[in-house]
Amino acid sequence: MDQSRVVTIKRYTTPNEAYLDADLLRDNGIECSVDGAIGDTVLPFIQGQVSLLVAEVDAARAAALVPGADLPTD
């Protein structure tokens, strides 16, 4: 992945959801990573701790593919 500028396009409460969306992106040729997944367990009351990251240059395309994803606003 282009590490020059990586952005979050979606946050999750469980890593499993993030990995499913990551597979969708990879199947469409977009490199990505899941950040904040601690093993396969994240306490359910800690919301938004798992993030799906993509290179900034791929963010618009990735957000169009992933349901509920948003482009960063900064």
Side-chain angles (χ1 to χ4, degrees):
M1 181 180 330
D2 176 9
Q3 294 294 327
S4 60
R5 175 103 161 102
V6 176
V7 295
T8 299
I9 61 164
K10 189 172 178 182
R11 296 189 189 280
Y12 303 84
T13 56
T14 66
N16 291 340
E17 296 174 62
Y19 288 129
L20 288 173
D21 285 343
D23 287 342
L24 172 67
L25 292 179
R26 291 181 186 121
D27 288 346
N28 283 277
I30 299 174
E31 291 186 48
C32 61
S33 63
V34 174
D35 183 47
I38 303 168
D40 277 338
T41 306
V42 173
L43 298 175
F45 57 84
I46 302 176
Q47 296 187 10
Q49 295 298 311
V50 180
S51 302
L52 182 59
L53 307 171
V54 298
E56 185 175 43
V57 296
D58 296 325
R61 197 169 127 221
L65 289 168
V66 175
D70 291 316
L71 291 175
T73 57
D74 56 324

